[in-house]
């Protein structure tokens, strides 16, 4: 099963991943997401929180935070550095408390959701958001499941916008990234929805 294979990959490569991800420029994902939060203090779920880098950033900015990840190793590290509540859960078994969050941040996450699980995954996200809540996702562009060079299976899709249209939220952002690249060079996509 691809999901378990990917989870095992992250558990096995956790130390290297933590070091590499700490170098990522997250300024524009943070700006795209946080600029849309209107509640104060907002409660954020970092969906696919990994080792907790973004949780620490959001918490230091004064937000209430929780994280969720399928990698037990990442959950332990995220809890240690953020002192936040961390939910150990697979995306295929996503089960979120209704109307719990003002913002759900899904950075580099959607490519880990298997095609058969996408609709149930989005339903959980929609139900977990409060009124006026934000769903933000940043993911690589593509149209099929493929094996990456490091051994992970990535489920790329251009159908996320269409799938999201089944719910009563408003599309506020749908652009290629990085923004300073030409459209042909933008290999990542960002979407942001606001729940009605």
């Amino acid at each position: 099963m691809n999901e378990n294979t990917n989870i095992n990959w992250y558990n096995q490569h956790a130390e290297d991943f933590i070091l590499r991800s700490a170098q990522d420029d997250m300024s524009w994902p943070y700006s795209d997401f946080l600029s849309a939060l209107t509640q104060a203090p907002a409660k954020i779920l970092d969906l696919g929180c990994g080792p907790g880098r973004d949780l620490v950033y959001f918490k230091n900015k004064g937000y209430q935070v929780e994280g969720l990840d399928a990698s037990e190793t990442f959950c332990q590290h995220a809890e240690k550095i953020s002192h936040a509540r961390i939910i150990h859960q697979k995306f295929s078994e996503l089960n979120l408390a209704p109307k719990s969050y003002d913002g759900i941040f899904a950075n580099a996450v959607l490519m880990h959701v298997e095609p058969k699980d996408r609709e149930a995954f989005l339903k959980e996200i929609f139900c977990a958001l409060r009124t006026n809540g934000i769903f933000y996702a940043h993911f690589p562009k593509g149209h099929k499941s493929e094996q990456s060079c490091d051994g992970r299976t990535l489920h790329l899709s251009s159908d996320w916008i269409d799938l999201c249209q089944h719910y009563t939220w408003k599309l506020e952002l749908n652009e290629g990234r990085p923004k300073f690249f030409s459209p042909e060079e933008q290999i990542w996509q960002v979407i942001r929805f606001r729940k009605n």
Side-chain angles (χ1 to χ4, degrees):
M1 183 177 176
N2 290 333
E3 184 178 37
N4 287 332
T5 300
N6 285 344
I7 293 167
N8 290 336
W9 185 94
Y10 282 109
N11 283 330
Q12 292 166 8
H13 296 84
E15 188 173 336
D16 288 341
F17 186 88
I18 290 167
L19 291 173
R20 284 190 290 110
S21 63
Q23 309 303 316
D24 292 341
D25 178 9
M26 293 297 296
S27 58
W28 44 274
Y30 292 157
S31 177
D32 286 339
F33 176 61
L34 296 179
S35 64
L37 292 176
T38 57
Q39 298 83 346
K43 185 176 181 182
I44 292 171
L45 174 66
D46 186 358
L47 188 62
C49 65
R53 173 199 61 200
D54 303 334
L55 282 169
V56 172
Y57 181 86
F58 296 147
K59 190 172 183 180
N60 288 341
K61 291 290 184 181
Y63 295 98
Q64 302 173 48
V65 296
E66 291 184 359
L68 182 148
D69 206 275
S71 162
E72 186 174 0
T73 305
F74 280 168
C75 286
Q76 291 170 354
H77 190 272
E79 186 173 27
K80 180 180 178 181
I81 68 169
S82 70
H83 305 288
R85 176 176 180 250
I86 308 297
I87 304 165
H88 181 217
Q89 201 173 101
K90 295 179 181 179
F91 295 149
S92 63
E93 300 170 355
L94 197 62
N95 184 17
L96 303 174
K99 299 181 181 178
S100 296
Y101 305 104
D102 301 302
I104 295 180
F105 184 74
N107 180 64
V109 163
L110 298 187
M111 72 274 204
H112 293 314
V113 181
E114 295 189 33
K116 64 180 178 59
D117 298 320
R118 287 174 184 154
E119 290 187 19
F121 175 86
L122 283 174
K123 182 178 179 181
E124 284 295 317
I125 290 172
F126 180 81
C127 291
L129 283 172
R130 296 167 178 161
T131 300
N132 207 38
I134 292 295
F135 169 51
Y136 171 86
H138 171 233
F139 54 97
K141 294 180 179 179
H143 308 284
K144 60 182 180 178
S145 296
E146 60 183 43
Q147 193 85 14
S148 69
C149 59
D150 58 22
R152 295 173 297 165
T153 299
L154 306 180
H155 304 289
L156 308 179
S157 175
S158 57
D159 295 335
W160 284 106
I161 293 290
D162 290 338
L163 290 171
C164 285
Q165 300 293 355
H166 295 288
Y167 303 95
T168 54
W169 47 16
K170 179 183 177 183
L171 178 63
E172 293 186 336
L173 186 64
N174 178 21
E175 296 179 359
R177 290 290 187 271
K179 198 170 185 177
F180 47 82
F181 283 7
S182 69
E184 295 76 23
E185 296 174 304
Q186 291 173 339
I187 60 174
W188 287 76
Q189 186 74 15
V190 60
I191 59 175
R192 190 180 70 220
F193 285 85
R194 186 180 300 275
K195 186 173 180 178
N196 297 333

